[in-house]
Amino acid sequence: MSSTVVSNAKILEKYMNLPMDGSIMAEYIWIDGTNGIRSKCKTLYKKPNSIEDLPEWNFDGSSTEQAPGNNSDVYLRPCAIYKDPFRRGDNIIVLCECWNNDGTPNRTNYRHECAKLMEAHSDEGIWFGIEQEYTLFDQFDHVYGWPTGGFPAPQGPYYCGVGTGKVYCRDIVEAHYRASLFAGVKISGINAEVMPSQWEFQVGPCEGIRMGDDLTVCRYILHRVAEDFGVKISFHPKPLAGDWNGAGCHTNVSTERMRQPGGMKYIEEAIEKLGKRHKEHIAVYGEDNELRLTGRHETASAASFSYGVANRGASVRIPRSVAKEGYGYFEDRRPASNIDPYLVTGIIAETILGSIPDADMVALTKEHPSK
Ligand code: ADP
Ligand code: MN
Ligand code: MN
Ligand code: MN
């Protein structure tokens, strides 16, 4: 079977260079009902100075598993602006929250409650850093670069690998890194992962709600870059059964107090609180995560909570350097690669900083059907 992807990059270039005479393209993006990302574009005739200058918009939620056909309008409320690395110039990406016709947040909109929690605890200075792992597939749904009908050599040479046969698609990773930096996402690094054709990018540290925003836009950019290369991105936590690593979203956390000398006391307090709500956290740490949290492949079992210094087989790890200095941050290793980052950062804030009356992350996921 030959490829159906035709690269028209050279032809497209002459159109990309047309002067736009002040018209701005604003790509509105949102999280859909399948935990994917959707987008549509609108022309603006004036450069927006802030989020308030951007009009609310809508889409057909019955086509994105976000609304029934007989009441299908879902509203897009702009909440953050990024530079568009694909169109450049004054063109922008507009991250949006989804709202229903009756004025309630759409069931996919976990950002709304998360933002309330972050706002209520803003004086704590909570920072997050997420390590997003993902896997590359070709258009025929084979892991990219793996031999047809077979497997590559066992894991070992691929993590942070260098050289042909050890890494695949470094071009996509490089393009995504640069495009994310250009957009204004706080991407802090990349590395090749343990399973061949699996990679990771890190976003953070980001304060409060910005973690979910930057991660969502960074995922969007990755899907878009991969389109150019005819490659599919999978965020499934266990893309291949067997002796191959799964994919996670390790979530690193600190508060102002944890980052000061003596902060270890507050890190330990937070970990104790996390241990008491293990089940509630696991419930929102990604679909199919039980296939990944087996106790093998650098994970802890989903069944019980554990923590340790420099222990990559624990639910929560305190980095060695943090233990040595006595302050810093901790790493929650449980979240899967397909998490909703607002749910995860929201419940962590709720557990370690305290709940607030009108934003209960766990109740929210129970009343809203799983994605
Ligand atoms: P690992 O050794 O687990 O692979 P990485 O280097 O991939 O670690 O990722 C570390 C993450 O921790 C990054 O996303 C970074 O932004 C985040 N991080 C660093 N310092 C802090 C901090 N004080 N608070 C929260 N996150 C932090
Ligand atoms: Mn990492
Ligand atoms: Mn990793
Ligand atoms: Mn990690």
Side-chain angles (χ1 to χ4, degrees):
M1 212 171 0
S2 69
S3 167
T4 55
V5 175
V6 181
S7 171
N8 292 318
K10 262 271 151 297
I11 301 171
L12 178 62
E13 208 174 285
K14 70 180 185 191
Y15 300 100
M16 294 304 283
N17 291 333
L18 287 172
M20 287 291 111
D21 292 333
S23 294
I24 289 170
M25 291 142 116
E27 193 76 29
Y28 279 45
I29 74 167
W30 70 95
I31 296 172
D32 73 6
T34 67
N35 203 14
I37 296 176
R38 307 263 177 153
S39 83
K40 60 191 258 189
C41 193
K42 114 193 259 94
T43 309
L44 304 176
Y45 299 97
K46 219 175 114 214
K47 195 178 168 180
N49 291 317
S50 71
I51 207 79
E52 284 75 36
D53 293 341
L54 290 163
E56 202 175 281
W57 204 10
N58 56 45
F59 65 95
D60 167 17
S62 71
S63 299
T64 63
E65 297 187 33
Q66 291 178 277
N70 59 2
N71 187 13
S72 63
D73 276 7
V74 175
Y75 292 87
L76 291 170
R77 287 196 193 158
C79 52
I81 304 173
Y82 294 80
K83 285 165 71 185
D84 185 338
F86 306 104
R87 299 191 173 106
R88 309 188 194 206
D90 285 335
N91 303 302
I92 52 175
I93 296 170
V94 179
L95 177 68
C96 298
E97 280 188 16
C98 293
W99 287 76
N100 301 323
N101 189 34
D102 63 2
T104 56
N106 187 261
R107 67 170 182 86
T108 60
N109 178 0
Y110 298 113
R111 186 184 187 279
H112 175 62
E113 261 75 12
C114 181
K116 282 199 270 183
L117 270 157
M118 297 305 176
E119 184 58 38
H121 295 298
S122 60
D123 54 342
E124 298 272 358
I126 191 162
W127 293 0
F128 299 95
I130 290 186
E131 305 165 48
Q132 172 73 66
E133 293 176 341
Y134 61 95
T135 311
L136 304 164
F137 282 80
D138 67 22
Q139 335 149 39
F140 311 114
D141 291 321
H142 298 127
V143 185
Y144 193 93
W146 285 29
T148 322
F151 294 94
Q155 293 182 161
Y158 311 112
Y159 170 72
C160 298
V162 176
T164 299
K166 295 182 186 141
V167 288
Y168 301 92
C169 296
R170 199 186 285 281
D171 46 7
I172 293 180
V173 175
E174 184 72 15
H176 169 252
Y177 195 172
R178 286 166 180 269
S180 299
L181 284 170
F182 176 90
V185 164
K186 206 171 171 203
I187 186 168
S188 48
I190 55 106
N191 61 265
E193 269 303 334
V194 177
M195 183 180 118
S197 250
Q198 201 166 69
W199 288 84
E200 168 179 313
F201 62 84
Q202 298 100 31
V203 179
C206 292
E207 185 156 356
I209 197 68
R210 185 162 174 204
M211 182 71 253
D213 290 355
D214 274 20
L215 189 77
T216 303
V217 174
C218 210
R219 284 173 170 178
Y220 165 75
I221 293 172
L222 181 58
H223 283 301
R224 285 291 313 273
V225 166
E227 274 179 26
D228 282 348
F229 294 85
V231 165
K232 291 185 187 176
I233 303 298
S234 166
F235 291 122
H236 194 276
K238 192 73 182 180
L240 277 187
D243 211 4
W244 304 102
N245 272 37
C249 258
H250 297 165
T251 302
N252 300 272
V253 188
S254 66
T255 60
E256 182 69 40
R257 291 193 293 186
M258 294 176 193
R259 294 189 294 269
Q260 306 297 330
M264 187 55 93
K265 177 170 165 272
Y266 301 105
I267 292 175
E268 281 167 356
E269 271 176 26
I271 293 173
E272 201 185 312
K273 288 180 186 167
L274 287 174
K276 288 191 180 135
R277 289 187 92 199
H278 178 63
K279 273 215 173 78
E280 287 96 324
H281 279 251
I282 289 290
V284 298
Y285 276 9
E287 232 173 273
D288 292 329
N289 200 18
E290 67 284 354
L291 302 176
R292 163 181 167 261
L293 294 182
T294 57
R296 299 185 59 223
H297 303 113
E298 299 169 56
T299 71
S301 156
S304 60
F305 181 85
S306 59
Y307 74 96
V309 172
N311 185 356
R312 288 173 194 268
S315 318
V316 169
R317 173 178 73 105
I318 299 173
R320 171 81 62 206
S321 60
V322 172
K324 211 165 132 194
E325 285 171 352
Y327 61 95
Y329 66 98
F330 66 87
E331 176 192 44
D332 190 341
R333 299 177 59 81
R334 297 170 294 172
S337 46
N338 59 358
I339 51 164
D340 179 305
Y342 301 111
L343 264 181
V344 169
T345 57
I347 196 174
I348 290 175
E350 182 184 73
T351 299
I352 71 178
L353 302 176
S355 56
I356 59 170
D358 57 346
D360 181 335
M361 299 312 285
V362 173
L364 201 63
T365 57
K366 281 189 187 136
E367 80 191 38
H368 295 200
S370 118
K371 299 190 226 189

